[in-house]
Amino acid sequence: PSTPPAASSPAGNVVEPGPGDAVQLVRDYYAAIAARDYGRAYRLWSQDGAASNQSAQQFANGFADTTGSSVEIGTPGDEDAGAGQRYIEIPVTVTATHADGSRHRYAGSYILHRTVVDGASAEDRAWRINSAKLRETTP
């Protein structure tokens, strides 16, 4: 008996990340923070972390007082297309616990970005955090 061929996309077609992949990136971001792997979380921002507008050390220092966090992810918005670019908004509600036992709740969203031009690397085609808009809310 012959073995069936492995599933593959037609030659030349690149499987593009979709909204589910964007949601997974936000989950991975908070998993990295929970694991205190701030370097990994930082690199999930565009431009190898630079889009966070902080150095890697400033980013890590921002979590120095955080002992735990959880994230609830809402329904992603539609992908917005620009010239060779894609953006998607991912709504979130975050609860952070601090060393003193206080809990703070934040609501807002992350804007994720990826490049889709011919010749873009796999890294450039992957979703990365472009910006965040979070504000503290009543717990």
Side-chain angles (χ1 to χ4, degrees), residues 42 45-54 129-132:
Y42 182 75
W45 283 81
S46 292
Q47 303 162 11
D48 205 29
S52 70
N53 294 317
Q54 301 176 74
I129 299 169
N130 187 68
S131 63

Side-chain angles (χ1 to χ4, degrees), residues 39-115:
R40 182 170 166 262
Y42 182 75
R43 289 186 303 275
L44 292 177
W45 283 81
S46 292
Q47 303 162 11
D48 205 29
S52 70
N53 294 317
Q54 301 176 74
S55 70
Q57 188 60 55
Q58 289 169 323
F59 180 84
N61 290 347
F63 296 100
D65 186 45
T66 304
T67 58
S69 65
S70 65
V71 62
E72 296 171 30
I73 300 175
T75 303
D78 293 332
E79 279 187 59
D80 288 330
Q85 312 292 313
R86 297 291 182 272
Y87 294 89
I88 193 167
E89 185 173 12
I90 308 295
V92 297
T93 302
V94 178
T95 303
T97 305
H98 295 274
D100 65 5
S102 64
R103 292 170 57 110
H104 298 264
R105 190 171 173 96
Y106 303 88
S109 62
Y110 287 94
I111 303 294
L112 276 60
H113 165 263
R114 66 187 191 87
T115 302

Side-chain angles (χ1 to χ4, degrees), residues 9 41 76 85 127:
S9 57
Q85 312 292 313
W127 289 113

Side-chain angles (χ1 to χ4, degrees), residues 22-44:
V23 167
Q24 187 58 51
L25 181 122
V26 174
R27 288 189 198 291
D28 290 348
Y29 177 69
Y30 280 96
I33 290 168
R36 297 188 175 284
D37 188 349
Y38 304 124
R40 182 170 166 262
Y42 182 75
R43 289 186 303 275
L44 292 177

